[in-house]
Structure formats: C-alpha cells, structure tokens
Amino acid sequence: MLSREENEYLTRVGAGTPAGDLLRRYWHPVAVAGELTDEQPIKAVKILGENLVVFRDTAGKYGLVAERCPHRSASLAYGRVDAEGIRCPYHGWKFDHSGRCLQQPAESDDSTFKDRIRQRAYPVQKLAGLLYTYMGPDPAPLLPRWDVLVREDGKRWTVIESMIDCNWLQPMENSVDPSHLYWLHGETAHLAGHVPDYGETHDFIRFEYGILKRRTTPGKKPGDPPQVDEHPLIFPSILRHVAKYKGGFRHNLQIRVPVDDTHTRVFRVSFVPSATDRSPVDDDPPFEYSELKGPDGRFNMTMVPAQDAMAWETQGGLADRSLENLGAGDRGVILLRKLLKEQIDIVKNGGEPMGIIRDPQKNEMIQFDVINERIGLFRSTDKKVA
Ligand code: FES
Ligand SMILES: [Fe+2]
C-alpha cells in the first residue's frame, strides 16, 4: 500500500514531476516510421503528457515538435512539410527540426521577429523502424540496441496496440507479477488446472538494466526436473520475454510508452530466429495494429495482450494504491516500486539513473539469455543461439 503522495510521486509523467523527470532520461518510441507516408507525412502524438507532431520532411529526415503553433495556436498536425521542416497550416510559419522559426510569410523580409520565436523540439532517431525520442537534458544518452531490435538472423515485425487507458506503472508492475499467469492467462496458455499448489518459487534479481524475474516450477511428477522461466523487466518501461511461435520461439520486446498520466501505448516488437530469414537492422520491419477491445468496448479476452490490458485498465486510470492489500506474492511489485523511488531520487540529486548507456562498444547489441523451459527454450551456453 502507498500513501496518496507516494502514489503520485511514482506515477505522474509531466515535466517537473519526479517520475516525469526520471522517464525523460530514457529514449521512448513515439511512432512507427511506416506510419508516416508521402500522403500523410505528419502524425499527432502524445508522450509524457506533451502534445507533439512527428513528421518526415521531403528530404526523408524525421522531426518532432510541439503541436501548438507559437503564432496563434493552430495545430501543426495539419501542416505541410518541405525539405527544411514543417509549416503551420494557418499563416504559414515554418519551423526546422530544431524548432527554429525559418519563415513568417506575413512579416516583412527584414523583420527579426522570427529569430525570437522558438518551437519546442526533440531529437528523433530511428531504430528497427521505430521513431524514438529523448526529452531529457543534454547530452542525450545512446539509444539502446536491444537484441530484439537489432538481430538480423531471423524475422522481425512490430505490433502497435490500441491505446490503453491507464498509467504506465500498471503494466510495469504486471511485469514483475508472476503469480497472475495461471489465472489471467491460464486458459489461453493451456495452463488451466495447473495452478501451482506445489511450491512454485519466484525470484526477483536486480541487475544492470532492471529486474530479472525467475519462476521455478517443480516437475509435474516426482522425479521430473523443475522448469525455469526467466526474463527481464528492462527499467523503466520495457518487458523482454519469449513465447512459442510456429514450432520455434518469438522473442518479444513490449515497450510501454507513457502517453500521459492515464494513457499508455504499447509497441510490441517480435523477433523469430530463423535459418533462412534475414532482417537487416536498417530495414523497416512490417507492422500492424492490434485492437484489444471488441465493438462492445470490452476487452477481447481470448487474446493474451488484451487479458493483461484488462487487468491494468480496470485497476483505474491511475490506480489508487492506497486501497490495495499487498501479500507475499507481490514481492516483485514492491521491489519495482522501491527501485523506481530510488532512481527518481538519484535524478533529483543530480545523478544518472540505471541503464543509461553512453559507451558505443557496450551498445552494439545488448543481449539477454531469456529462457522458458515450460515452452522448451533452455539456457544457451552461446548467447547467440536462439
Ligand atoms: S497559427 Fe500558425 S502560423 Fe498562425
Ligand atoms: Fe500477463
């Protein structure tokens, strides 16, 4: 249980809030590059409570600026792009990628007014077809090259899930909550009737990039070896895990983007290792949209991602943690909150939070030995093996 104040401290995402300032120390995806086309090169996006537009100029360069025009507030989402930047649809003020105002068509040519105008702008980097931004203080750290994003020996694709109407910390707490598996996903994962009354253990191991979650399930019959399922929560906003896929394994990165205090967007990148498929890192992988709710507005409870989203969203737009009753099964959740509080305090005190990467050598490819013996994926001795 948290007090009202502690709850606010850990969850709010706006600039100047404790968690908002922590989240601004990390790169977050705002869109998939393929969503921007020649016909529709501008998209309104919201992230960390800020209304922005992401665009691709006619030279192919991406930009991200505040949506509201500094002249008289029209939306740049209806603007036009050219080789230099983006132009407001109302009176044609034009801005470059760094937010400088390049033109004000209704002002005289010798006016210096435009030099005193600055539109808020953030850097954009593309990786695995995702357009990432960094909204924190300079210098920006490196954009992390997680294995799922940069491996080339297989097939990669992205799913953009429909918006979830809840705060980002709810999905993240769910990522260190192994005891929900048999209940929330039991039927879909063919685990109904496997509810562990037989001493399953859960370990949460803090490591360089977050929390490693390990589930050890005793063998079904006496003499059967225990099964281990081990994968990380990458702090602060990613779940890295593995699932069965057509006789092989699908390695997943679920990137939860804090849209505002009560909305979260999940980008799910999947990678299936294969002897024949290749996914060059500079290629944009295919992507699709996934609707988690049916036409009646209810979550589609036959889909695993919708089952999770149901649990997160029904906890409330911003779950009131003063109402909860945590038990021994919630140790992972408690550890995550402790870690989050600690990292917020580090940033408040002028330090650098965990998992920030500044050494290019370390960032060639960041690999995790993710295993799930229940579905047949065992620990590799060679980490390059699927
Ligand atoms: S409101 Fe944008 S140029 Fe006038
Ligand atoms: Fe789940």
Side-chain angles (χ1 to χ4, degrees):
M1 181 180 122
L2 297 182
S3 69
R4 281 266 160 82
E5 294 69 34
E6 288 168 327
N7 199 25
E8 302 271 305
Y9 195 84
L10 297 184
T11 53
R12 297 266 177 205
V13 304
T17 62
D21 285 349
L22 171 73
L23 290 164
R24 279 169 175 72
R25 298 305 184 95
Y26 299 88
W27 289 86
H28 301 276
V30 293
V32 166
E35 293 184 276
L36 302 180
T37 59
D38 290 343
E39 297 73 43
Q40 197 62 264
I42 306 172
K43 183 175 162 46
V45 294
K46 193 173 190 190
I47 176 167
L48 297 175
E50 300 188 26
N51 288 306
L52 308 171
V53 295
V54 60
F55 64 93
R56 191 183 67 194
D57 70 21
T58 54
K61 195 175 165 206
Y62 296 97
L64 181 69
V65 295
E67 180 181 1
R68 196 184 71 82
C69 179
H71 177 218
R72 281 173 49 215
S73 302
S75 168
L76 296 186
Y78 290 88
R80 271 171 250 169
V81 296
D82 63 18
E84 290 182 316
I86 184 167
R87 197 187 278 285
C88 177
Y90 200 179
H91 314 93
W93 284 22
K94 182 162 121 177
F95 307 94
D96 73 5
H97 296 75
S98 66
R100 276 188 312 156
C101 184
L102 303 179
Q103 266 181 25
Q104 296 169 322
E107 303 301 308
S108 68
D109 284 350
D110 56 359
S111 164
T112 60
F113 180 29
K114 66 177 186 323
D115 304 331
R116 298 190 298 279
I117 298 292
R118 196 83 193 199
Q119 181 70 328
R120 201 151 28 84
Y122 297 107
V124 178
Q125 280 188 31
K126 187 169 82 152
L127 184 62
L130 293 170
L131 298 178
Y132 274 91
T133 193
Y134 171 79
M135 299 163 71
D138 287 331
L142 296 173
L143 172 57
R145 294 168 61 87
W146 312 118
D147 52 2
V148 169
L149 301 181
V150 300
R151 275 181 75 165
E152 300 195 319
D153 56 329
K155 199 171 89 175
R156 178 170 24 252
W157 71 96
T158 301
V159 174
I160 307 171
E161 286 182 359
S162 52
M163 189 75 82
I164 299 163
D165 299 338
C166 75
N167 181 264
W168 69 283
L169 188 57
Q170 286 152 233
M172 296 319 297
E173 290 180 339
N174 173 76
S175 298
V176 277
D177 172 31
S179 61
H180 79 266
L181 172 71
Y182 300 90
W183 302 100
L184 189 60
H185 309 306
E187 272 177 40
T188 324
H190 307 294
L191 292 168
H194 290 258
V195 177
D197 54 359
Y198 43 79
E200 179 173 285
T201 57
H202 303 148
D203 297 294
F204 304 93
I205 304 141
R206 204 177 140 155
F207 78 117
E208 186 180 4
Y209 293 109
I211 297 173
L212 195 63
K213 173 177 57 168
R214 181 189 298 145
R215 174 200 306 278
T216 308
T217 314
K220 291 212 179 64
K221 301 190 299 291
D224 284 358
Q227 291 177 326
V228 175
D229 168 1
E230 186 177 293
H231 56 265
L233 176 158
I234 303 173
F235 189 85
S237 55
I238 301 176
L239 173 67
R240 167 77 168 87
H241 66 119
V242 67
K244 241 185 177 146
Y245 184 79
K246 294 184 182 169
F249 302 104
R250 178 163 59 96
H251 290 265
N252 291 316
L253 213 55
Q254 271 192 41
I255 309 171
R256 284 83 178 252
V257 180
V259 170
D260 60 22
D261 286 337
T262 54
H263 294 90
T264 302
R265 168 82 69 194
V266 179
F267 292 95
R268 193 153 27 98
V269 184
S270 293
F271 184 86
V272 175
S274 134
T276 47
D277 292 313
R278 284 291 166 271
S279 296
V281 63
D282 292 328
D283 282 9
D284 289 357
F287 70 96
E288 62 192 44
Y289 296 93
S290 171
E291 181 51 66
L292 299 173
K293 290 180 178 172
D296 59 356
R298 279 178 65 86
F299 283 101
N300 176 352
M301 292 298 282
T302 63
M303 296 159 63
V304 170
Q307 293 163 357
D308 282 311
M310 178 283 295
W312 312 339
E313 203 177 282
T314 57
Q315 288 177 305
L318 202 168
D320 181 352
R321 292 173 177 78
S322 71
L323 301 176
E324 64 192 11
N325 294 283
L326 299 186
D330 299 304
R331 271 183 307 124
V333 172
I334 293 166
L335 175 64
L336 175 62
R337 292 178 190 173
K338 192 168 154 244
L339 183 64
L340 178 55
K341 163 89 167 63
E342 177 192 300
Q343 298 302 312
I344 287 174
D345 290 342
I346 288 173
V347 170
K348 276 191 141 188
N349 293 321
E352 183 132 287
M354 73 190 302
I356 295 295
I357 304 159
R358 297 197 183 271
D359 175 1
Q361 267 184 346
K362 227 171 135 177
N363 198 35
E364 274 167 28
M365 184 191 312
I366 305 168
Q367 286 177 280
F368 299 105
D369 203 5
V370 170
I371 59 171
N372 187 339
E373 296 177 347
R374 178 167 49 79
I375 61 170
L377 181 61
F378 292 86
R379 197 180 299 283
S380 59
T381 39
D382 174 359
K383 290 197 171 189
K384 289 190 184 70
V385 173

Tab-separated table of all heavy atoms in Angstrom, residues 68-76 87-95 105, ligand 1:
chain	number	residue	atom	x	y	z
A	68	ARG	N	1.211	22.712	-30.969
A	68	ARG	CA	0.568	24.036	-30.979
A	68	ARG	C	1.487	25.082	-31.614
A	68	ARG	O	2.635	25.250	-31.184
A	68	ARG	CB	0.265	24.426	-29.534
A	68	ARG	CG	-0.716	25.540	-29.351
A	68	ARG	CD	-0.842	25.879	-27.867
A	68	ARG	NE	0.362	26.538	-27.387
A	68	ARG	CZ	0.608	27.831	-27.536
A	68	ARG	NH1	-0.250	28.604	-28.128
A	68	ARG	NH2	1.737	28.349	-27.096
A	69	CYS	N	1.000	25.759	-32.613
A	69	CYS	CA	1.817	26.791	-33.267
A	69	CYS	C	2.022	27.968	-32.308
A	69	CYS	O	1.069	28.431	-31.676
A	69	CYS	CB	1.128	27.261	-34.544
A	69	CYS	SG	2.073	28.550	-35.400
A	70	PRO	N	3.249	28.480	-32.223
A	70	PRO	CA	3.506	29.591	-31.298
A	70	PRO	C	2.917	30.919	-31.797
A	70	PRO	O	2.906	31.889	-31.044
A	70	PRO	CB	5.036	29.652	-31.224
A	70	PRO	CG	5.507	29.023	-32.487
A	70	PRO	CD	4.477	28.006	-32.887
A	71	HIS	N	2.445	30.950	-33.035
A	71	HIS	CA	1.818	32.183	-33.515
A	71	HIS	C	0.449	32.346	-32.870
A	71	HIS	O	0.298	33.106	-31.928
A	71	HIS	CB	1.725	32.172	-35.058
A	71	HIS	CG	1.025	33.364	-35.627
A	71	HIS	ND1	0.188	33.287	-36.707
A	71	HIS	CD2	1.038	34.663	-35.249
A	71	HIS	CE1	-0.287	34.494	-36.985
A	71	HIS	NE2	0.229	35.354	-36.109
A	72	ARG	N	-0.537	31.559	-33.329
A	72	ARG	CA	-1.875	31.687	-32.738
A	72	ARG	C	-2.512	30.329	-32.538
A	72	ARG	O	-3.709	30.160	-32.679
A	72	ARG	CB	-2.740	32.635	-33.559
A	72	ARG	CG	-2.397	34.119	-33.234
A	72	ARG	CD	-3.112	35.096	-34.135
A	72	ARG	NE	-4.520	34.830	-34.234
A	72	ARG	CZ	-5.257	35.022	-35.336
A	72	ARG	NH1	-4.692	35.489	-36.428
A	72	ARG	NH2	-6.529	34.727	-35.351
A	73	SER	N	-1.644	29.346	-32.231
A	73	SER	CA	-2.095	28.081	-31.638
A	73	SER	C	-2.772	27.057	-32.551
A	73	SER	O	-3.323	26.080	-32.058
A	73	SER	CB	-3.010	28.326	-30.432
A	73	SER	OG	-2.335	29.093	-29.475
A	74	ALA	N	-2.744	27.234	-33.855
A	74	ALA	CA	-3.313	26.182	-34.718
A	74	ALA	C	-2.427	24.936	-34.619
A	74	ALA	O	-1.277	24.997	-34.190
A	74	ALA	CB	-3.402	26.663	-36.157
A	75	SER	N	-2.990	23.807	-35.027
A	75	SER	CA	-2.269	22.542	-34.889
A	75	SER	C	-1.349	22.280	-36.079
A	75	SER	O	-1.796	22.278	-37.237
A	75	SER	CB	-3.258	21.380	-34.776
A	75	SER	OG	-2.563	20.157	-34.923
A	76	LEU	N	-0.091	22.000	-35.788
A	76	LEU	CA	0.854	21.660	-36.861
A	76	LEU	C	0.559	20.276	-37.443
A	76	LEU	O	1.138	19.888	-38.447
A	76	LEU	CB	2.291	21.711	-36.338
A	76	LEU	CG	2.813	23.075	-35.877
A	76	LEU	CD1	4.302	22.970	-35.536
A	76	LEU	CD2	2.603	24.143	-36.930
A	87	ARG	N	5.553	23.418	-41.800
A	87	ARG	CA	4.936	24.735	-41.894
A	87	ARG	C	3.527	24.668	-41.321
A	87	ARG	O	2.793	23.718	-41.552
A	87	ARG	CB	4.884	25.125	-43.369
A	87	ARG	CG	4.652	26.563	-43.637
A	87	ARG	CD	4.443	26.774	-45.123
A	87	ARG	NE	5.652	26.866	-45.940
A	87	ARG	CZ	6.464	27.914	-46.000
A	87	ARG	NH1	6.234	28.967	-45.240
A	87	ARG	NH2	7.504	27.938	-46.798
A	88	CYS	N	3.163	25.680	-40.521
A	88	CYS	CA	1.819	25.734	-39.940
A	88	CYS	C	0.781	25.935	-41.041
A	88	CYS	O	0.992	26.710	-41.975
A	88	CYS	CB	1.753	26.869	-38.924
A	88	CYS	SG	0.102	27.064	-38.199
A	89	PRO	N	-0.382	25.246	-40.918
A	89	PRO	CA	-1.398	25.354	-41.960
A	89	PRO	C	-2.143	26.691	-41.944
A	89	PRO	O	-2.799	27.039	-42.915
A	89	PRO	CB	-2.372	24.219	-41.610
A	89	PRO	CG	-2.244	24.069	-40.132
A	89	PRO	CD	-0.793	24.337	-39.832
A	90	TYR	N	-1.995	27.473	-40.860
A	90	TYR	CA	-2.845	28.661	-40.719
A	90	TYR	C	-2.232	29.866	-41.448
A	90	TYR	O	-2.787	30.358	-42.424
A	90	TYR	CB	-3.058	28.930	-39.226
A	90	TYR	CG	-4.257	29.791	-38.867
A	90	TYR	CD1	-4.541	30.068	-37.527
A	90	TYR	CD2	-5.102	30.325	-39.843
A	90	TYR	CE1	-5.633	30.847	-37.176
A	90	TYR	CE2	-6.191	31.105	-39.489
A	90	TYR	CZ	-6.457	31.370	-38.161
A	90	TYR	OH	-7.527	32.130	-37.795
A	91	HIS	N	-1.054	30.362	-41.017
A	91	HIS	CA	-0.441	31.516	-41.667
A	91	HIS	C	0.947	31.207	-42.206
A	91	HIS	O	1.686	32.108	-42.567
A	91	HIS	CB	-0.351	32.700	-40.694
A	91	HIS	CG	-1.597	32.953	-39.927
A	91	HIS	ND1	-1.826	32.415	-38.673
A	91	HIS	CD2	-2.722	33.643	-40.257
A	91	HIS	CE1	-3.027	32.787	-38.250
A	91	HIS	NE2	-3.597	33.516	-39.192
A	92	GLY	N	1.293	29.921	-42.194
A	92	GLY	CA	2.497	29.502	-42.898
A	92	GLY	C	3.824	29.688	-42.178
A	92	GLY	O	4.877	29.600	-42.803
A	93	TRP	N	3.801	29.932	-40.887
A	93	TRP	CA	5.097	29.969	-40.193
A	93	TRP	C	5.788	28.624	-40.381
A	93	TRP	O	5.141	27.564	-40.304
A	93	TRP	CB	4.899	30.221	-38.688
A	93	TRP	CG	4.563	31.637	-38.328
A	93	TRP	CD1	4.007	32.597	-39.147
A	93	TRP	CD2	4.743	32.253	-37.046
A	93	TRP	NE1	3.816	33.760	-38.459
A	93	TRP	CE2	4.266	33.587	-37.163
A	93	TRP	CE3	5.254	31.834	-35.822
A	93	TRP	CZ2	4.294	34.482	-36.095
A	93	TRP	CZ3	5.273	32.727	-34.755
A	93	TRP	CH2	4.810	34.030	-34.898
A	94	LYS	N	7.086	28.686	-40.605
A	94	LYS	CA	7.814	27.447	-40.890
A	94	LYS	C	8.897	27.212	-39.836
A	94	LYS	O	9.585	28.143	-39.425
A	94	LYS	CB	8.455	27.549	-42.270
A	94	LYS	CG	9.201	26.285	-42.675
A	94	LYS	CD	9.419	26.266	-44.171
A	94	LYS	CE	10.891	26.200	-44.491
A	94	LYS	NZ	11.117	26.102	-45.943
A	95	PHE	N	9.048	25.936	-39.415
A	95	PHE	CA	9.998	25.569	-38.354
A	95	PHE	C	10.919	24.459	-38.852
A	95	PHE	O	10.482	23.563	-39.578
A	95	PHE	CB	9.233	25.069	-37.119
A	95	PHE	CG	8.184	26.033	-36.667
A	95	PHE	CD1	6.868	25.901	-37.098
A	95	PHE	CD2	8.511	27.101	-35.851
A	95	PHE	CE1	5.894	26.805	-36.714
A	95	PHE	CE2	7.542	28.014	-35.463
A	95	PHE	CZ	6.230	27.871	-35.893
A	105	PRO	N	5.536	34.321	-43.324
A	105	PRO	CA	5.196	34.956	-44.608
A	105	PRO	C	4.511	36.313	-44.475
A	105	PRO	O	4.674	37.158	-45.353
A	105	PRO	CB	4.273	33.924	-45.263
A	105	PRO	CG	4.678	32.626	-44.661
A	105	PRO	CD	5.065	32.930	-43.253
B	1	FES	S1	-1.259	29.955	-36.104
B	1	FES	FE1	0.429	29.066	-37.042
B	1	FES	S2	1.133	30.487	-38.468
B	1	FES	FE2	-0.530	31.440	-37.477
